[in-house]
Amino acid sequence: MSFMKKPRAHHSDLPRNSLGYTIRDYEGGMSTLCAGCGHDSITAALIQACWELDIEPHRVAKMSGIGCSSKTPAYFLSQAHGINAVHGRMPSIATGANAANQHLHYLGVSGDGDSLSIGFGQFAHAIRRNVNMLYIIENNGVYGLTKGQFSASADVGSRAKYGQENEQPPIDPVLTAISLGCTFVARGFSGDKDQLVPLIQAGLRHRGFAMIDVISPCVAFNDHEGSTKSYAHTREYYHPAIHADFIPPREEIRTEYEKGKAMPVELHDGSTIVLRKIDVDHDPTNRAGAIAYLERHREAREIVTGLLYLEEEGKDLHAWNRTVGDSLVDTQSRSDAAAILEEIQAGYR
Amino acid sequence: MSFMKKPRAHHSDLPRNSLGYTIRDYEGGMSTLCAGCGHDSITAALIQACWELDIEPHRVAKMSGIGCSSKTPAYFLSQAHGINAVHGRMPSIATGANAANQHLHYLGVSGDGDSLSIGFGQFAHAIRRNVNMLYIIENNGVYGLTKGQFSASADVGSRAKYGQENEQPPIDPVLTAISLGCTFVARGFSGDKDQLVPLIQAGLRHRGFAMIDVISPCVAFNDHEGSTKSYAHTREYYHPAIHADFIPPREEIRTEYEKGKAMPVELHDGSTIVLRKIDVDHDPTNRAGAIAYLERHREAREIVTGLLYLEEEGKDLHAWNRTVGDSLVDTQSRSDAAAILEEIQAGYR
Amino acid sequence: MSKSSVNHVNDFTLKVATVNGTGSASANSLLMKSIFRMGVPVMGKNYFPSNIQGLPTWYEIRVTDPGHLTRSGDVHFMVAMNAETFAKDHAEVTPGGYLLYDSTWPRNRDLNRDDIHIIGVPLAEMVNQHFVEPRTRILMKNVAYVGALAGLLDLDLAVIEQLLKETFGERKAKLVKPNMEAVRIGYDYVLEHYDCPLPVRVERADMTRGHVVVDGNTTAALGAMLAGATVGAWYPITPSTSVMDAFSAFCGKYRKTEEGEREYVILQAEDELAAIGMVMGAGWMGARAFTATSGPGISLMNEFLSFGYYTETPAVIFDIQRVGPSTGMPTRTQQSDLMECAYAGHGDTRHICLYPADPAEAFDFSIRCFDLAEHFQTPVFLVSDLDIGMNEWMVPELKWDESYRPDRGKVLSAESLESLSGPFRRYMDPDKDGVPFRTLPGVHPAGAFFTRGSGHSKHGTYTEDAAEYQEVMDRKARKFLTAASHVPAPVIEYCNSTEVGGKKRVRPVRYGFLTVGSGDLAVREARHNLKEKGMEFDYCRVRAFPFTREVEDFIAEHEIVFVVEQNRDGQLKGMLLAELEPEAGKLVSILHYNGLPLASMHVESEVVDHLRKAEAS
Amino acid sequence: MSKSSVNHVNDFTLKVATVNGTGSASANSLLMKSIFRMGVPVMGKNYFPSNIQGLPTWYEIRVTDPGHLTRSGDVHFMVAMNAETFAKDHAEVTPGGYLLYDSTWPRNRDLNRDDIHIIGVPLAEMVNQHFVEPRTRILMKNVAYVGALAGLLDLDLAVIEQLLKETFGERKAKLVKPNMEAVRIGYDYVLEHYDCPLPVRVERADMTRGHVVVDGNTTAALGAMLAGATVGAWYPITPSTSVMDAFSAFCGKYRKTEEGEREYVILQAEDELAAIGMVMGAGWMGARAFTATSGPGISLMNEFLSFGYYTETPAVIFDIQRVGPSTGMPTRTQQSDLMECAYAGHGDTRHICLYPADPAEAFDFSIRCFDLAEHFQTPVFLVSDLDIGMNEWMVPELKWDESYRPDRGKVLSAESLESLSGPFRRYMDPDKDGVPFRTLPGVHPAGAFFTRGSGHSKHGTYTEDAAEYQEVMDRKARKFLTAASHVPAPVIEYCNSTEVGGKKRVRPVRYGFLTVGSGDLAVREARHNLKEKGMEFDYCRVRAFPFTREVEDFIAEHEIVFVVEQNRDGQLKGMLLAELEPEAGKLVSILHYNGLPLASMHVESEVVDHLRKAEAS
Ligand SMILES: Cc1ncc(C[n+]2csc(CCOP(=O)(O)OP(=O)(O)O)c2C)c(N)n1
Ligand SMILES: Cc1ncc(C[n+]2csc(CCOP(=O)(O)OP(=O)(O)O)c2C)c(N)n1
Ligand code: SF4
Ligand code: SF4
Ligand SMILES: [Mg+2]
Ligand SMILES: [Mg+2]
C-alpha cells in the first residue's frame, strides 16, 4: 500500500547525484500493482531519469487521473507533492497548477482510458495550450483497474482476454498529439528502459507540453495472444525510429555523429538532445513528414518509437499569456486598493 | 422565431422532386440569426440537397448542440423530428438514436465551439464508432451565441473583434477527423453552394460518419479584417482541391472524365461520387497522402476544400455490432420470459 | 480449556481474510454455495480492495434464519490467511469464537488471545508438498481451507464435489480431481487434529427451497432484458460494471437471431456524459434504453439529467452506490447518492427513484423503471448499492408475471397522427394527469416537432415568454404528483395488526423504524432483537421517490421514527423533512457510513442509546 | 380626455419594448443614467432574448424611493417600438398610463385602449429625413425616443449631452453631435405636439449622492481582483460571461507590471469540467483561483466539486443563476440552483454558499468567498443571479476596508515544516475546529503528501479502512459546523425593536418574511406596503449556507414565516426544513419563477391571499 514507505536505510555505497541524493531518495511508496505490470517499469525509469537530472524531488508536482497507471505517482518521488485528479481530468488540474506556479517541474501520468476516452478533450486542450509539463500515457490498450474492457487505443483486430475482437479504429496518442500541434511527441516501451530514460529527461527539459506514449503491457488483462499491446507483440513489431540522447547543459557532446544521421537540438535551458536517426526517412522536426512516416509504418503494423516530433520554438502557456516571472501563489492585500476602487467607481456615477 | 413557420402557400409553379415535393416542403421555421450569417446559407444548401435527393422529410432526424449554428435545424425540414442536445453532446444523442433505429437519415449540425471545445471528446468518439450520419460543423472560429470569444478553430495570428490575437494552434476538424479514422471528410464554404450541395448529398448517402467542415463567417463577431474566418479571407485563400459530383443510383454518369483526373466512387446504395481532381497531387482515398497534402497547404495558409478523404469500406456502428435489420424501437413482452427466467435461475441454486 | 465456546448450529458468522488476486473469491463462493445446497440459509459478503492483486480482502458468511441474512456485527469464526491483517482479524473474533490460520509459519506470539480457540492448519506446507506448479499452489491453498472448514463445520463433501463439477463444466472437468484433492488435504488434517465438527457448525436443513443465490446487478440486468431494453450505454465503473456484463451475456444468449444478429446494441461510451446522452438519444427515438453507473458517473450526468427532465425524455439509470465523496472507496458500500439522484441537475428538477432492498426486488424494480420512464417520459433511477449489486444474496426465486405488458406510455401512432385535426402539440395535458402525448421520429410528418432543452411552450415551440414557460413547469410539477401514486408503495409492518372482516386494522406502537434499500434486513433483525428485549417498533421501508401518502401517514402515526440509512448526512431524513414537513423532532437519524454493510447490532445499540438518553433527560 | 392620468413625480415605471441588435441597449442605459445624474433613484432591468439580433427585448426603468428599486409589477409608461410585441405591450400599461409609439406607420386600430394615453411620434420618418446611412438611421431612432422621453418626462438635456460625451470619450468625440441632433428631433417634436412635461415625470433631487450605478458581475469581478485572485478559469456562458470580461479588464489595467507582464492568468477553458479542474489545480498549488458560470456549468462541475470537498481544496465558484432546467431561458433570471450549489456532488457533500442581494454585496461577498475558501479549504459558492449580475443597480458606493488582510488559512511555511518533528499529517484536527493544516507544493520536502479523491486517513494516506475513512468524514462534518459561525449572518429587521441601555430589545410580531438574494427589495417593498395596510411582518434575509443560529431563531420566533424565493420547488424552504427542522407548517412558500425579477406586487398579493384563506378556514 502506498503508505508503506520502503525502508529508507542509508546506503552509503550508492552513488549520489550532484545534489547529494542517491536514487533511493527518488523512490516512493510500495507499488500495489500486479507483479510484472509494465507501469512499474515506467516508474523505475522516471525515478532514474529524475535522479540523473539532479532534480530537487520536492520541486516536482506529480499528477494523475484514475486507473492503475494513475496510481503510480504514489510510487515515486515521495518528497514531491502529488495529486490524483478525477478520472480523465488531470490535464485541467495540471493547467491550473502550472498557471499558478510555473517554477515547478510538472509530471503527469495517465492511462489510455484516462487520456483517450473520458479525458480526450482535456488532453487535446492541454496540448493546445502548450502547458509546460511532461505527460506520460501508460498505454496498455485496456482499462486495467476496471478489469479488462477495451480502451480507445485498442487496435483493430486486437483480441480481449475472453475473445472479443475490437473493430473500432484506435486513437493513436502520437498521431493525435502531432496533429493537435503538440511540441514534443515520443513513444516508448516499458520494456526498453535505455530508450525511455533519455526520452523522459528530454521531455522534462522541454519547455511546453511533452507527450510520451509508453506501451506498457497489462499482465492481468491484455498480455495474451491476439492482444496487440502484449509484451510479445510489442517486442515483435517494435521499431525504434530515432534514438534520443539527452545531454545536460554544459556537458560536452562527446560522440562524433555521422553527418545526416545525427542532429543535436538545443533546448531552452541549454541542454541538448542529440537525435540519432535509425530510419533516415524520418525527420522529427517536420510535422507533415512525421505524420506521413507514422502512417507508413502504421500500415505495416509497426510500432515506431523514439522522439518522433519536436518543435522547440513553440510558446508555452506563460509565454503566450506574458506572465510575470514570479509564481502567482502569494496574495497580499494591496495598499492601493482604496484608490483603485475610487478610480473605478468614478465611472459608475 | 422558430415557431413562426413561413407561409406554406402552394406554389403550383415550383418544380417537384420524384416524391412530388417542392423545395418549400423542405424548409423550416424563420431564421433568427443575424442577417448575413453564413449559417443561413448552409441551411439553404441542406434544404436543396435533401430536396434533390428525394428524401422523405420525416425520415430525417435532425440533431444539434448549442450555439447559433445549433439553432439551424429549426430552420429546415419542419416535417422532421429534431433535437437540440446540451452543449457539445449531440454526438452521443445521435449515437444512441442511431443505435435504436438505423433506418432514418441522421443529420447533425454543430459549431466549432460545440464540436471542438466542449464536445471534442464526443466528436472524436462518434467518429471512432463510425455512426452512420452526416455531421456538419458550421465553423466560424468564434463562439457566436456567447458573443465573440475565440473558439478552438481560431488560427494562430487571427484577430478578435477587439484586437486580441490568438496564439494557440487551431484544432482543424478535417485533419483531426482523418487522423481519427473518419470515413468521409470534406470541407466547404457557406459562400459556395455549388460545391457544398453535392458534398452534403454524398455525405448523406455515405454509410458511416461523414464530416463536413463548412467555413461559415460570423458577421456579428468574426468578419473583420485580421480574422481568418471572414468572408474576405476565406475567399482569398479558398482552394478547391477536388470537386465531387454526386450522382444518384441508376443515373448515368454522363460526362466523360479525363483519365487520371476523375475518379468515380460507388457508394453502398448504388449512387456514385465522381471526384474530379483539381489538384492532381491529392489522392482522397489515401489517408497518409491526404494528411500530407493538407499539411502542405496549411503551411501556405490555404483553405483546401472539397471531399478530402473517403473510405467506403469501413464498418458502421451496426455493421460491427451485427445488428438485425429491424429498428430496435418496438418492445413487446416475450412469451418465453418465464421459461428464460427458469433456465437462468437453474444456475443460481 | 477454560474458555467458553460459541455454540451455534446453523447460526454463526464466519469471515475469511485473504489477499486478493489469489483465487480466494471462488473458494469463498464455493463455501457459501455448499452451505446453501445443504438447505441452510446463508449470506455472503465480499469486502475487496480497489486494486487487482495483492491487497487485503475479506469474505463474510453468515448462517442464520432466512429473515436475518445480514451482517450482525459478530464474527464467530475467522479464517485468517493474510499475515498483514492478522492482528486486526485476530482481535475481531467474538469471545468464545474460533480462529483458523496457516500454521506453516509461526505466528506472532503477541497475537494469542486466550478467550478464543485457535486452530492451526499447515495449509501451505501440505499444499506445496502435493502440488508443484506455483500458480496452482497459490490457488489450492484456498481450496484447502475450504476443505478444513468442511471438516470443522461439518460440510458435505459430496455437495462440494458436485459444485466443483458444475463450476468447471465439461470443458474443464479434469480440474475437479486436483481441487477435490486440495479439499481433502484440509479436511483430513482437521479431522485428524481437531475434535470435528465444532460446536459451531452447519446441519442439513430444508430452509432454502424456492430460493436462489444471486447478486443484484445480475438481477437488474435480467430485468432490463426481460423488460425489453434494446440499447444499453455505459462507461465502466465499480461497482456497476457487472450490470452491463450480465446484460451483455443475457442478450448474447437470448437476444440473437438464428443468424447471430443482435436485437440489441451495447455501447461502451467514452465517459458517463456520453453514456447518458446515448440513452437519451435512444429514448427519444423510442427504444427502451438504460445505463449503469455509480456516484461519480451520476455527477457527470447531471447536465443531461436536467435535460431529460425538462424535455421529458425517458431514460433509465441504475446507480449502484459506492462510498463517496469523489472517488471515495469504490469497493465499499454506502447510500450516499440519495439526494443526488432525486434532485440531479440544475434548475427545478426532480426524478423518480426506486429503491430495491435486495436482488429479488432489483429484478422487479428494474422492470418497473422502464415502465415508469416511458409512462412519465422522464429519467428514472434504480438506486441500488454495492451490497445489493455485488454480493450474493439468498432470495426467493424470481417470478415472471405472465400478465406483464410493457407500458410504453402515451405515444401517438402513425394512424392517430394521420387523423390529427390541428398540429401536434407536445406538451399539453389532455388527461389532466400532467402527462403529455409524445411522438417518435420517423413515424409521420404530422408528429414532427423540435425537442429542446431551452424554454418551450406547451405547444413544443421555442419561448422566452414568462407565462408560457411557467405553464409547462407547472404541468411537470403536477406530473410528479401523479407519479407518487404510481411508484411502489412502502413496505409497512405493524406490531399490532388484526384482520377484522377482511380489513386490516392496525394499532401503531409509539416508535417506528423507517429505512430504505439494503438497510432492510439489518433493521428487521434489530427490530426482532429489540422485541425480545421488550421494545416494540413498527416498520416502514420506503421504496420510491416521490414519497407516497403511506410514508407520510406512517410518520404521522408515530411519536418517534428512527430513520436508518447508510450515509453521514441523513439524506433520506432530509428529503422526508423537505418533502413531507413532518412534526419537528420526530425523525431521529441512525446513520452508518463506514463502507461496510449495515449491521443489526449497530442499529440496535443506537436506538437503545437514544431512548436511554431521552429518558434520562 | 375623461381618462385619469398617472401622476407620479419621481415615482413610476417606464418600459421600452424594442428589437435586439438595434442599439437600443445603449439608448436605454443613457436614459437610466440621466435620471440617476438628476439625483433621482432609479432601477434599470433588461429583458433580452437569447440571440444576437432581431428578437424582442424590453428595458424596464423604475424611478422611486431608494429602498424600493425593484420591480413593482406596474407599467406607467410604455415605449412600444416593436411591432411584433405591440399588442402585448399595449395591454400591459396600467390604466391612466402612457404609451409612446412610432407613428411613422399606422398602428392596428384594434389596439387602442381608451383608458391610457397614447402618444405618437414619427420617429423613423424624422430620423430618416435627417440621417442617410442605414445603420445610423437604425441607431438614431433609439436616441430619438430618448429625446422624446426627455421632453415628456422633463429630463435635463445637458445631463444627456454630458453622458454622451463621457461615453464617446475623446476618440469618438465627433459622434456626440449627431447623437444630440437625434435627441433634439424627438425632444422638439413632443414639445411641439404634447403638453410637456407630463404629470408622470422626473424632478431633480438629491437622493443619489454617495451611490453608484453598476451591475453585480462587475462588482464580483472587482472583488476577485482586490481579494488577490490570480487565476481565473471559465467557459463562456450567459449570464456569467461578463464576470470574466470585467476581471480581465480590471487585471489588464491594475495587474500588469511596467513591462506589460501579467500578474494573473485567465484561462478560457474548453468546458466547465476543465474550468473547475483548473481552479482546483491552482487552489491546490496555493493561488486564489475562481470560475464563473451558470446552472449548466454547475451541473458539469459536480464531480470535481465532490473532489474539492473531499480533498479539501480551496476554490471559488460564482454561479450567476439563470432560468433552468437544462438550457432553460439563458437570458432570464431565477434562483433555482440553490440546492444544486449547496449539495453539488455525489456522496455526502455540502458546500459553503454566500447569497448576495445586490451588486454592493456581491463585491463584499466575492472577497469573503476567497477568505472562506482558504480558511476552510473547500469550494465556496457566490450564488448570484442574472438580475443582480447583469442589470444595472443603484447601490451605495463600494468601500474598501483598510484593515482587510487576506485570510490564507492554515498553511505551513517552509520554516514550520523544517522544524516539524514527525511526518506531516494532512487531515488532522489540531485546533478542534475541524480545520486541518495544509502545505503547498514545492515549498519543502517535509510538506509533501499525495492529494487523493479516494479514501484517505487523517494522515493523508490511502485507506480502505472503515474507521479511518469515517474519522475524516466526521471531522469534515465538524468543520462545516465551524463554518456556520464564520459566514455572513442574516439581515434581520423587526417591526418592534427598542434600545435599552445600549442593548437591542425586540418583540417579534406574528409573521415574518424570509428571503434570499435578489428577493430583498421586492420583499421589503411588499412589507412596506403591507404595513401601510396595517399588516406587520418582521424580516430576515438569509445570506449564507450553512444557516446560522440567527436564522433558526428567527423562524422559531414567528408563527408563520413566508419564505419568498424565485424557483418552483421552494428550494430554500426545503433546505431550511432539512437543516433546521422547524415546526411543521410554519414555513409558507411564496414562489416566483417565470424568469422576470420578483415584483413586490406578487409578494404582497400572495401573502394577503394566504392569510385571507387561513382566516377563512
Ligand atoms: C467518472 C469515472 N468513471 C469511471 C471510473 C472507473 N474507472 C477507474 S479507472 C478506469 C479506466 C482506467 O483505464 P486506464 O486509464 O487505461 O488505466 P489502466 O488501469 O489501464 O492503467 C475507469 C473506467 C472512474 N473512476 N470515474
Ligand atoms: C454547458 C454549457 N456551457 C456554456 C454554454 C454557453 N454557450 C452557448 S453556445 C456556446 C458557444 C457556441 O459556439 P459555436 O458552437 O461555435 O456556435 P456559433 O454560435 O459560433 O455558431 C456557448 C459557450 C452552454 N449553453 N452550455
Ligand atoms: S491490472 Fe493490468 S494495468 Fe493494472 S496493475 Fe495489473 S497488470 Fe498493471
Ligand atoms: S452572432 Fe454570428 S454566428 Fe450567431 S447568428 Fe450572428 S452572425 Fe451568425
Ligand atoms: Mg489502460
Ligand atoms: Mg462558432
Side-chain angles (χ1 to χ4, degrees), chain C residues 48-51 55-56 88 273 295-303 306-311 323-332 334-337 339-340 343-350 452-455 462-467 469-470 472-477 566-571 573-575 577-579 581-587 592-596, chain D residues 48-51 55-56 88 273 295-303 306-311 323-332 334-337 339-340 343-350 452-455 462-467 469-470 472-477 566-571 573-575 577-579 581-587 592-596:
Chain C
F48 58 103
S50 177
N51 93 327
L55 289 185
K88 200 180 151 214
L273 290 103
I298 303 291
S299 274
L300 288 172
M301 293 178 185
N302 262 260
E303 192 194 13
S306 188
F307 173 85
Y309 173 81
Y310 192 43
T311 57
V323 169
S326 195
T327 302
M329 298 195 292
T331 58
R332 295 285 187 273
Q334 211 171 51
Q335 298 177 312
S336 57
D337 299 341
M339 275 191 60
E340 171 101 5
Y343 306 110
H346 56 281
D348 286 306
T349 55
R350 32 191 55 221
R452 42 168 70 82
S454 46
Y462 182 77
T463 195
E464 292 182 357
D465 182 84
Y469 161 82
Q470 182 166 339
V472 171
M473 286 299 283
D474 288 342
R475 178 188 49 73
K476 270 187 242 280
Q566 297 174 58
N567 59 62
R568 184 196 64 182
D569 290 345
Q571 299 187 15
K573 181 182 157 212
M575 288 165 65
L577 287 166
E579 303 283 334
E581 300 190 43
E583 254 174 67
K586 192 173 240 197
L587 302 186
H592 175 85
Y593 48 95
N594 66 10
L596 296 173
Chain D
F48 58 103
S50 176
N51 92 329
L55 289 184
K88 199 180 152 211
L273 288 103
I298 303 291
S299 273
L300 288 171
M301 293 178 186
N302 262 260
E303 192 194 11
S306 187
F307 174 86
Y309 173 80
Y310 192 42
T311 58
V323 169
S326 195
T327 303
M329 298 195 293
T331 59
R332 296 287 187 271
Q334 211 170 52
Q335 298 177 313
S336 56
D337 300 340
M339 274 190 62
E340 172 101 7
Y343 306 110
H346 56 282
D348 286 306
T349 54
R350 33 191 54 219
R452 42 168 71 83
S454 46
Y462 181 78
T463 195
E464 293 181 357
D465 183 83
Y469 161 81
Q470 181 165 340
V472 171
M473 286 299 283
D474 289 342
R475 178 189 48 73
K476 270 188 241 282
Q566 298 175 57
N567 58 62
R568 184 195 64 182
D569 291 346
Q571 299 187 15
K573 181 183 158 212
M575 288 165 65
L577 287 167
E579 303 283 334
E581 301 189 42
E583 254 174 66
K586 193 173 240 198
L587 302 186
H592 175 85
Y593 49 95
N594 65 10
L596 297 173

Side-chain angles (χ1 to χ4, degrees), chain B residues 1 32 34-35 66 71 86-87 89 117-118 143-146 149-150 221, chain D residues 50-53 55 84 234-236 241 268 270-273 300 326-327:
Chain B
M1 267 165 290
T32 61
C34 304
I66 300 284
K71 286 181 176 184
V86 295
H87 191 27
R89 317 291 176 192
S117 293
I118 190 167
Y143 293 179
L145 192 56
T146 52
Q149 300 82 12
F150 277 128
F221 302 109
Chain D
S50 176
N51 92 329
I52 307 302
Q53 189 187 95
L55 289 184
E84 205 188 312
W234 69 304
Y235 186 68
T241 302
Q268 185 185 312
E270 58 273 27
D271 63 12
E272 289 85 348
L273 288 103
L300 288 171
S326 195
T327 303

Side-chain angles (χ1 to χ4, degrees), chain C residues 526-545:
Chain C
R527 183 177 173 235
H528 172 264
N529 293 348
L530 288 162
K531 182 159 188 173
E532 303 209 325
K533 293 181 184 157
M535 296 162 81
E536 287 195 325
F537 294 81
D538 292 331
Y539 179 76
C540 171
R541 178 165 61 83
V542 171
R543 301 201 297 169
F545 180 77

Side-chain angles (χ1 to χ4, degrees), chain A residues 112-242:
Chain A
D112 42 331
D114 197 62
S115 281
L116 306 180
S117 294
I118 190 167
F120 193 57
Q122 294 215 342
F123 172 61
H125 284 270
I127 289 175
R128 263 198 91 219
R129 289 187 191 94
N130 206 14
V131 178
N132 186 12
M133 72 181 297
L134 171 61
Y135 191 100
I136 292 184
I137 299 183
E138 303 191 342
N139 188 347
N140 54 16
V142 284
Y143 293 180
L145 192 56
T146 53
K147 308 202 167 178
Q149 300 82 11
F150 278 127
S151 84
S153 73
D155 294 298
V156 174
S158 191
R159 289 194 175 278
K161 197 162 179 183
Y162 303 108
Q164 318 90 293
E165 192 177 320
N166 177 49
E167 303 207 41
Q168 294 170 57
I171 297 183
D172 174 2
V174 164
L175 181 59
T176 304
I178 296 179
S179 47
L180 290 169
C182 186
T183 50
F184 179 114
V185 182
R187 188 184 280 122
F189 171 36
S190 65
D192 185 351
K193 201 168 162 189
D194 287 347
Q195 185 194 47
L196 192 53
V197 169
L199 285 178
I200 291 171
Q201 292 175 332
L204 280 167
R205 288 300 188 202
H206 171 72
R207 173 169 284 164
F209 195 91
M211 197 285 295
I212 312 182
D213 173 37
V214 188
I215 309 297
S216 176
C218 168
V219 293
F221 302 109
N222 204 15
D223 195 30
H224 47 271
E225 216 172 312
S227 157
T228 59
K229 292 278 189 296
S230 63
Y231 279 109
H233 185 276
T234 307
R235 288 216 177 85
E236 185 172 344
Y237 291 93
Y238 191 64
H239 182 97
I242 209 154

Side-chain angles (χ1 to χ4, degrees), chain B residues 117-139:
Chain B
S117 293
I118 190 167
F120 193 58
Q122 294 215 341
F123 171 63
H125 284 270
I127 290 176
R128 263 198 90 219
R129 288 185 192 97
N130 205 14
V131 178
N132 185 12
M133 72 182 297
L134 171 61
Y135 191 100
I136 292 184
I137 299 183
E138 302 190 343
N139 188 346

Side-chain angles (χ1 to χ4, degrees), chain C residues 381-490:
Chain C
F381 284 87
L382 181 81
V383 185
S384 175
D385 62 26
L386 184 142
D387 184 17
I388 297 170
M390 290 192 73
N391 284 321
E392 294 203 282
W393 295 58
M394 180 184 118
V395 291
E397 271 169 8
L398 309 181
K399 293 265 177 311
W400 184 252
D401 172 6
E402 291 290 352
S403 71
Y404 175 73
R405 296 290 170 277
D407 177 356
R408 307 299 313 260
K410 301 185 194 173
V411 179
L412 291 178
S413 64
E415 296 73 53
S416 0
L417 285 167
E418 191 64 51
S419 59
L420 216 60
S421 55
F424 166 64
R425 296 181 162 163
R426 174 69 176 95
Y427 295 119
M428 309 295 286
D429 189 5
D431 306 322
K432 302 284 164 269
D433 56 357
V435 184
F437 272 92
R438 67 181 186 126
T439 57
L440 303 182
V443 170
H444 194 282
F449 86 106
F450 202 73
T451 301
R452 42 168 70 82
S454 46
H456 43 262
S457 72
K458 66 180 171 197
H459 303 138
T461 53
Y462 182 77
T463 195
E464 292 182 357
D465 182 84
E468 286 185 358
Y469 161 82
Q470 182 166 339
E471 197 178 3
V472 171
M473 286 299 283
D474 288 342
R475 178 188 49 73
K476 270 187 242 280
R478 287 198 305 278
K479 183 171 83 166
F480 211 69
L481 279 183
T482 309
S485 56
H486 278 67
V487 298

